[in-house]
Amino acid sequence: MAATAQSIILHQYDISPFSEKVRVALGIKGLDWFACDEPVIMPKPELLALTGGYRKIPVMQIGADIYCDTQIILRELERRFPAPTLFPGPGKGLEWGIAMWTDRVFFQAAVAIIFGGSTPLADEAFIKDREKLTGRPFDIAGMKAAAPMMAEQFRAQLGWLEEQLADGRRFLPGNEPGLADASAFYNLAFVRWTSPAGAKLIDGFPGVTAWEKRVAGIGHGQRSEISRDAALDIAKAATSTEAAKADPGEPNGLKPGDAVTVMADDYGRDPIAGELVSSSAQHIALKRSDPRVGEVVVHFPRAGFLVLKS
């Protein structure tokens, strides 16, 4: 099957935990998609041609629309493919809050356990790359020192999952899987891939391990492969489907046509400049161009990102 301008292309790599979050969501929805494998570390010239500077993984591409960060990726998948929903329970807004917890607090505990463990996982090139990404030292010695305390934090948060599952529900929202499951599961998967000591912590919670198996059994939908060059060719031949739309509630008066810069507020704060196309409380879309891909529209969430008028 050949990819088209309507195909879901996920720029990812297989050991990326945040890519696993999206892959589980694709499985929940039973979608066909194309994996475009990107390098783990810089340089990533093809990815940056699409995004204008955003280098974190994953990035979703549909034609000439480029979605940066799992929050906006999952929001767009839900908009385009509403059934099966990622929100089978009653708490749609709270599930986004749960996703922010798993992406920051839960994830940081997992990272400390993984890289502070006894098995070396980061070579010099990886360490230098992540130092550039975060803007601070990638302190392996510090993580080793913190690992015992972060194991306690990770275990406490596993306990929250165990309590949520204690009434016999199959998944975190209820009997059907959703965003909360994809969001919590990827941290456990990351630990399983890389940390035997962390895996033992997970194994101490029988409800969590049973749930973990159910989520893993969902799969990742129907995956095909696509090369980076082929993905860029699709973007160049396509036209964005994002319509210009003003948001009267914009706190700082941003409107279509404004020159703006967007950057993450935590790490990977590379600024992406473009012309505002549309915005809302939950998204912002910028038009930009690159010789390799032509004109594209790059989409970001608002929570976790800063927008500056140029």
Side-chain angles (χ1 to χ4, degrees):
M1 181 176 64
T4 70
Q6 288 73 48
S7 298
I8 299 166
I9 300 173
L10 189 67
H11 295 263
Q12 59 114 61
Y13 51 85
D14 283 349
I15 61 169
S16 158
F18 289 98
S19 295
E20 179 68 5
K21 177 182 179 180
V22 177
R23 292 189 297 252
V24 170
L26 291 164
I28 290 171
K29 290 186 172 293
L31 294 172
D32 297 333
W33 60 284
F34 288 82
C36 184
D37 282 341
E38 296 285 351
V40 176
I41 64 174
M42 294 288 274
K44 304 180 184 183
E46 295 89 359
L47 184 70
L48 299 193
L50 288 169
T51 67
Y54 182 87
R55 54 155 292 183
K56 293 195 281 186
I57 292 295
V59 168
M60 183 175 73
Q61 172 191 348
I62 301 180
D65 286 289
I66 315 301
Y67 301 88
C68 301
D69 188 87
T70 58
Q71 186 185 156
I72 198 70
I73 290 171
L74 298 179
R75 186 174 293 278
E76 185 64 15
L77 288 175
E78 181 73 6
R79 186 186 74 83
R80 290 181 183 244
F81 310 101
T85 182
L86 293 175
F87 303 96
K92 182 173 182 178
L94 288 178
E95 289 212 29
W96 288 116
I98 290 169
M100 189 67 78
W101 156 60
T102 63
D103 286 359
R104 301 205 174 193
V105 180
F106 201 16
F107 178 68
Q108 289 304 320
V111 166
I113 291 170
I114 289 164
F115 289 99
S118 58
T119 303
L121 294 172
D123 61 17
E124 184 178 355
F126 181 90
I127 290 171
K128 288 182 177 178
D129 179 80
R130 289 313 190 257
E131 287 181 340
K132 290 179 180 178
L133 177 66
T134 62
R136 59 180 181 269
F138 194 82
D139 186 1
I140 298 293
M143 283 190 259
K144 285 184 180 296
M149 291 173 284
M150 296 310 290
E152 296 173 0
Q153 298 301 310
F154 188 71
R155 182 170 176 264
Q157 293 171 76
L158 290 170
W160 292 342
L161 299 180
E162 187 81 2
E163 289 179 13
Q164 179 71 2
L165 295 161
D167 61 0
R169 66 184 61 204
R170 289 177 51 78
F171 298 100
L172 294 175
N175 288 323
E176 300 298 329
L179 174 63
D181 299 286
S183 298
F185 174 82
Y186 81 82
N187 282 300
L188 277 64
F190 194 28
V191 168
R192 291 277 191 201
W193 298 336
T194 52
S195 173
K200 287 182 180 179
L201 291 174
I202 300 169
D203 289 339
F205 294 90
V208 169
T209 55
W211 160 82
E212 186 185 15
K213 290 176 182 177
R214 288 192 290 272
V215 177
I218 293 168
H220 293 157
Q222 291 73 50
R223 171 175 171 165
S224 301
E225 308 296 321
I226 188 171
S227 71
R228 295 194 286 272
D229 279 338
L232 268 58
D233 289 342
I234 287 173
K236 189 164 189 175
T239 301
S240 170
T241 61
E242 186 71 15
K245 185 177 181 181
D247 175 11
E250 270 293 340
N252 297 306
L254 297 173
K255 61 186 184 301
D258 285 347
V260 297
T261 301
V262 176
M263 67 181 74
D265 71 358
D266 52 358
Y267 63 94
R269 299 181 68 170
D270 303 283
I272 298 90
E275 178 186 312
L276 192 148
V277 177
S278 67
S279 64
S280 71
Q282 301 301 338
H283 94 286
I284 189 161
L286 314 181
K287 181 169 62 178
R288 54 170 302 276
S289 63
D290 181 274
R292 178 64 180 86
V293 298
E295 188 175 280
V296 296
V297 172
V298 189
H299 304 251
F300 298 91
R302 298 302 284 272
F305 283 78
L306 308 174
V307 182
L308 305 173
K309 193 170 181 179
S310 302

